[in-house]
Amino acid sequence: MQNHFLTTLRSLKLIDGCKGTQVYAVNPAVSNSNAPSSSSSDKPLLRSTFSLRNKSIQGCNGGGGGGGGLHHCPSYLLLDSLLPFGLPSADRIDPPVDPFLRPVDPVSALSDSFRRLSSTSDANSGTGAERLLLLCDLYLEQHSLLRPLADPKLLRRTLRSARLHAPDTHHRVVLSAWLRFERREDQLFPSSFPSPLSACTTTSPSLECPRAALLSTSNDLLCPCRRPPPVPSPSPSSSSSSFRRHEPEEGADADVWFCIGDDEVPCVRSNIAALSKPLSTLLCGGFAEAQRERISFTHNGISARGMKAVDVFSRTGRLDEFPPDTVLELLAFANKFCCEGLKSACDLKLAYLVRSLDDALLLVEYGLEEMAYLLVAACLQVFLRMLPKSLGDTEITRLLCTQEGRKRLDAAGHASFVLYHLLSQVAMEEDMKSNTTVMLLERLVETAAPGWQKQLALHQLGCVMLERGEYKDAQRWFAKATSEGHVYSQVGVARAKFKKGHKYSAYKLASGLIDEHEHVGWMHQERSLYCIGKEKMADLRIATKLDPTLAYPYKLRAIALMEDDKVGAAIAEINKIIGFKVSTDCLELRAWFLLALEDYEGALQDLRALMTLNPNYMMFHGKLHGDQLIDILQQNVKLWDMADCWMQLYDRWSAVDDIGSLAVVHQMLAKEPMNSSLRFRQSLLLLRLNCQKAAMHSLRLARNHSTHEHERLIYEGWILYDTGHRDEALAKSEESLSLQRSFEAFFLKAYALADSSLDPASSSYVIQLLEQANSCASDNLRKGQAHNNMGSIYVDCDMLDEAAECYLKALGIKHTRAHQGLARVYYLKNQKKAAYDEMTKLIEKAKNNASAYEKRSEYCDRDMAKSDLNMATRLDPLRTYPYRYRAAVLMDEHKEHDAIAELSGAIAFKPDLQLLHLRAAFYDSIGDSASTSRDCEAALCLDPTHSDTLDLYKKALGTADPQST
């Protein structure tokens, strides 16, 4: 039956029925008897077909929903219902062209970035603003260079550095909004938006403070909202109030009257003349008005009320009492007569009035017309801090996206590369194919300076055009990016040529890349698209060897195995990458294969995990929403109630089966979608799988669905902690504890405090917090984690018996990861065999056990350690310790070049701080000071404070050839 089943599957792959008016079944008789009439329903045909076919399946099962009777149905009927699009097609899984800078030699690129930053920071040439602008640009370039590493912490750090060196209000506004967007604050306040000048709270990141961005004249870490108010001195206060008491009444000392219509406005000539040089010339120079007491001002565009306001300002220097329309009139007057002081006062006054989106939309036009820098900045800040929602407003997009809008912003001092860099990135994340994205990228190209800015803008525009199917334009933009020096853009040129039918030309271009540069995994991956047979597979093998993190080679090999009826081998191939790099496309592929094996529970598990990562995912090459397929499969497997789900979650959690746990939580959330505690657990699992974007989304949902203030504060604290704001997270935990004692509040506080070098007193306090956490109500999943954390702190304090007790308690409630901590305790007690056995237990229990193999290697002899570390690398090539260990062994054997090659192989696809530091030390040991400096510089890009690397770098600089560094 299996051969017949697979033959049927392959036959479905060739069917193009989905392009016509009906999705044809394999068995014509069954299809015709159940097919809905195309004119009898206004629902999508595919959904109707699925609905009717599901009824047929239920009939085979006797109408039940259990999975036991499903395998007794005819295979063609199962296939017709669950795989209407046949097998996955190798032609539909081409890897995307990455929309960011990708240097051929990332280490050298990072090294160069570090050198230029260091030289600029140390230089005294140029003005302060010019130097800040250059530093800001260099940090933004570094941010772009670090994009391929996909490390949110590194990207946030470079953005923070750029914000700290922002040269003016415009850059502060844009970069503060960018930092806020990275935390997706917009998802925390879906119904309201605070004023851009409202005070930030003590638990908000200071670099995101709207007041600091708009009003500060420096880049102090302490924002204006957190500075203590100045204490007024009694004597100046009394003298100033005395001055106001004796201030002459309006018009009492007037010596000139401005006639506006039938009104005469009394003013002091010298005060008005002091407002600007043109007014001084008019009133005190050689003009006739200088001799007149009454001056006609009817045709100068200002009302009598406005002129009275000018007089008041000329006397007091304040605009406190005037309504907005009068201030706008004063702004126009100030521009007409070049009154810089009055204009600045009006600009600031109006900026304070921008308190909502409606205010911003109304006032931005006045600001642009009068070129009011602060007012436009305040309005722009509202638009940016409401991203991505604001890009859906036609008035805003008319200003931000069009060429005319850019010119108007430029005239007001607010069109810049960094502005359009942020806007285009947001637009690409929302919809890469939209016209808004294209227009913003066109503006990005217009504002880009030669060099990295031009490379990035042109390359991204090429990527968008490629996605839109506009291959001629895509090729043109990629070619321009290549001419600017971005080698990776040649991949885009080749892809566009291939899409236009010029396959051999694309092949030659990809081969040229390989011939002209040091081989990199993505080069061989790209060339594999343009060849067939053994040559294709050879390129894919080389690509995986050079960069095992590339998903496309695994996917294509898996599909090829599936086409050869080797379903088990296909699943094993795709499992290789899912084991260390979870992604929606790989989960979809495995679910597809499991459907072919009729393993509906396995397919459903992968689908649930997939939909957790992307709730809008479309299955079968974009033909069917994942939720619809879940609905279908649920009818053919045994369903669990909430009690069953909790039991399943405990089992999978204890088995270190993160994908399985994620699927169970997804099913539980389908029953209780507003359960914030489940959302929080979902975020923890996603963080374990290194899916940080999805994890933060789940955490924000947990916060939004919280029904109690103390819970909301906890989730806000975790959001702040996970985005690098430890002190603010601590403040949130303390605020939550002031409202109610809870496990999660104590745990958050302990976790945040432990994230630093703890002295004995601090360690004792953290332990107390964890004990208090365990005294509060919670489930064993979380309490096991608390016991495990307590054990780790006891180990750090050399309290091994107490640590062992904690780990045993954790194991008693099925916290399987505690085996690792207990093994460490045995090892520190010189019980190496017991430590090895403990780690073996973890390997046997855990589904994801690459880290367990790595840790077990510490408790055995060298040969066994090598075996364990080789296994760890096979399971997860992103783990760096195995490479460092093998390289150290080679150095011990005086095989220096082999040791460097071992590290270089990993650095090629994962430039890691520890790998770079170790390779730099190896280069130093053989006297290669230039290579030592280069690796140190690249490592310091990743962590500028790493003391060992700094010491090694200083040593290398003392011996290196000055021209090489």
Side-chain angles (χ1 to χ4, degrees), residues 164-197:
L164 279 169
H165 294 87
D168 51 36
T169 297
H170 170 75
H171 281 77
R172 286 195 294 270
V173 163
V174 174
L175 290 166
S176 296
W178 196 336
L179 284 167
R180 184 179 188 274
F181 174 77
E182 290 297 321
R183 293 196 301 116
R184 295 311 297 262
E185 281 273 322
D186 61 291
Q187 295 183 0
L188 296 183
F189 304 98
S191 59
S192 63
F193 176 74
S195 165
L197 288 177

Side-chain angles (χ1 to χ4, degrees), residues 351-407:
Y352 269 106
L353 297 177
V354 182
R355 295 170 183 163
S356 66
L357 179 60
D358 291 337
D359 293 338
L361 288 171
L362 175 65
L363 290 172
V364 72
E365 289 299 321
Y366 291 103
L368 291 169
E369 187 70 26
E370 302 297 341
M371 289 183 287
Y373 183 75
L374 276 182
L375 175 56
V376 175
C379 297
L380 187 62
Q381 184 163 245
V382 173
F383 302 153
L384 296 181
R385 292 170 78 87
M386 293 186 70
L387 289 171
K389 181 181 177 182
S390 55
L391 287 181
D393 187 292
T394 54
E395 292 185 57
I396 296 175
T397 53
R398 190 180 301 116
L399 173 63
L400 298 180
C401 300
T402 63
Q403 193 172 52
E404 179 190 358
R406 182 191 64 79
K407 290 178 180 177

